[in-house]
């Protein structure tokens, strides 16, 4: 499925609010059950099942069966990229409660965007890599410089193997909350996985928001000159 067909299919699906809510929830890059997605989209499980069937038929989501449960996830990074782009031009959601305001603040600060880091933290990481001369901006992508090769090697990120993957290596992704680009693609995913491996960040159940650990506070300050203690 090419990008143009993805745009058309996702556009037709997100015109319905409940389907848009489900797809937004799935941007955490994980697989979820019908009940979990119904809870996150604030709809009934039967309604969620109906919408998921339509999205399966459109090849926008995929499903895997484990035991008695069926788990759903976004089909691929192209669909996630289209969805994130739509969010960048969508009007801001109305904040109706203190809980909703807290969730919105956490999502905007640090979150997963399918399989890479987004939000204020994701943009700060990207800006730091540019400022230090580790990556350079191209038209729609970032390129890794000679200094960047050494830096990612020190982070134990194998650039050679990443470039062999059948996917984008380091494309720009427009961050819907920051309205600036963050680093995506195989390199963006490797950076996210490395932060998780080092316990700099932790996933939070039932949300795309990311928690920064004390190790992360130190690691981001020492390696990226990002002082999160001031946030």
């Amino acid at each position: 499925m090419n990008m143009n067909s993805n745009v058309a299919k996702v556009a037709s699906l997100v015109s319905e609010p409940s389907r848009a809510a489900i797809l937004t929830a799935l941007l955490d890059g994980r697989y979820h059950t019908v009940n979990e997605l119904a809870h996150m989209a604030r709809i009934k499980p039967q309604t969620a099942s109906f919408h998921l069937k339509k999205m399966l038929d459109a090849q926008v989501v995929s499903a895997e069966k484990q035991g008695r449960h069926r788990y759903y996830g976004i089909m691929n990074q192209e669909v996630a990229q289209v969805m994130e782009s739509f969010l960048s031009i969508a009007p801001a959601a109305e904040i109706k409660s203190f809980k909703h305001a807290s969730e919105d603040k956490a999502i905007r600060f640090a979150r997963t965007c399918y399989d890479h880091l987004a939000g204020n933290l994701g943009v700060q990481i990207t800006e730091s890599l540019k400022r230090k001369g580790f990556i350079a901006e191209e038209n729609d992508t970032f390129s890794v410089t000679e200094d960047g090769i050494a830096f990612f090697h020190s982070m134990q990120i194998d650039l050679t193997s990443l470039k062999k993957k059948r996917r984008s290596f380091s494309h720009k992704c427009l961050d819907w909350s920051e309205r600036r680009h963050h680093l995506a693609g195989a390199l963006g995913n490797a950076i996210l996985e490395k932060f998780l491996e080092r316990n700099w960040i932790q996933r939070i159940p039932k949300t795309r928001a990311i928690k920064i650990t004390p190790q992360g506070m130190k690691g981001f300050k020492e390696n990226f000159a990002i002082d999160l203690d001031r946030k």
Side-chain angles (χ1 to χ4, degrees):
M1 186 186 298
N2 60 39
M3 182 62 79
N4 288 336
S5 64
N6 277 332
V7 170
K9 287 188 176 183
V10 175
S12 66
L13 290 168
V14 298
S15 61
E16 203 291 319
S18 294
R19 289 198 289 267
I22 290 172
L23 281 170
T24 302
L26 288 173
L27 282 175
D28 65 359
R30 289 176 281 186
Y31 277 72
H32 297 278
T33 65
V34 170
N35 287 340
E36 289 171 341
L37 291 169
H39 174 76
M40 288 186 277
R42 296 180 173 87
I43 56 179
K44 294 180 180 179
Q46 296 92 328
T47 304
S49 293
F50 170 78
H51 290 308
L52 284 166
K53 175 64 166 59
K54 284 187 173 292
M55 289 189 281
L56 275 171
D57 291 343
Q59 296 184 341
V60 168
V61 302
S62 60
E64 291 186 7
K65 191 171 183 180
Q66 294 287 338
R68 295 182 300 168
H69 296 288
R70 207 176 191 196
Y71 294 83
Y72 297 86
I74 285 184
M75 177 65 76
N76 52 44
Q77 64 167 341
E78 286 78 18
V79 171
Q81 187 178 349
V82 171
M83 189 64 203
E84 190 78 7
S85 297
F86 283 159
L87 288 174
S88 70
I89 60 174
E94 182 182 356
I95 304 298
K96 298 181 179 180
S97 66
F98 177 76
K99 180 182 178 182
H100 190 187
S102 298
E103 291 173 348
D104 183 70
K105 182 179 179 181
I107 284 285
R108 289 172 180 272
F109 174 59
R111 65 179 181 275
T112 51
C113 173
Y114 186 54
D115 65 352
H116 57 271
L117 195 60
N120 180 266
L121 179 59
V123 170
Q124 283 200 71
I125 293 294
T126 303
E127 290 299 313
S128 175
L129 290 170
K130 287 165 53 182
R131 189 168 56 250
K132 289 175 176 290
F134 297 153
I135 61 173
E137 285 193 74
E138 306 293 342
N139 289 330
D140 299 315
T141 64
F142 295 104
S143 60
V144 179
T145 66
E146 289 296 323
D147 288 340
I149 292 173
F151 171 75
F152 288 117
H153 178 74
S154 72
M155 292 283 291
Q156 298 180 312
I157 292 177
D158 186 350
L159 298 179
T160 301
S161 64
L162 293 180
K163 289 179 179 179
K164 292 179 180 178
K165 292 189 174 184
R166 298 179 63 183
R167 60 173 297 183
S168 165
F169 172 65
S170 57
H171 69 263
K172 293 179 179 178
C173 186
L174 181 60
D175 196 291
W176 64 261
S177 57
E178 293 292 312
R179 305 303 169 98
R180 291 183 290 168
H181 291 107
H182 58 246
L183 176 62
L187 181 56
N189 173 243
I191 291 171
L192 171 65
E193 293 299 329
K194 185 58 63 176
F195 292 166
L196 288 167
E197 178 188 314
R198 294 188 174 186
N199 197 36
W200 288 10
I201 59 175
Q202 294 175 348
R203 294 184 184 273
I204 303 174
K206 299 181 181 180
T207 177
R208 288 204 286 152
I210 290 292
K211 175 184 177 181
I212 316 300
T213 67
Q215 298 100 305
M217 295 283 191
K218 181 179 179 182
F220 291 128
K221 188 172 184 178
E222 291 180 350
N223 293 272
F224 298 94
I226 297 174
D227 191 353
L228 296 174
D229 289 323
R230 296 182 181 178
K231 287 290 177 182

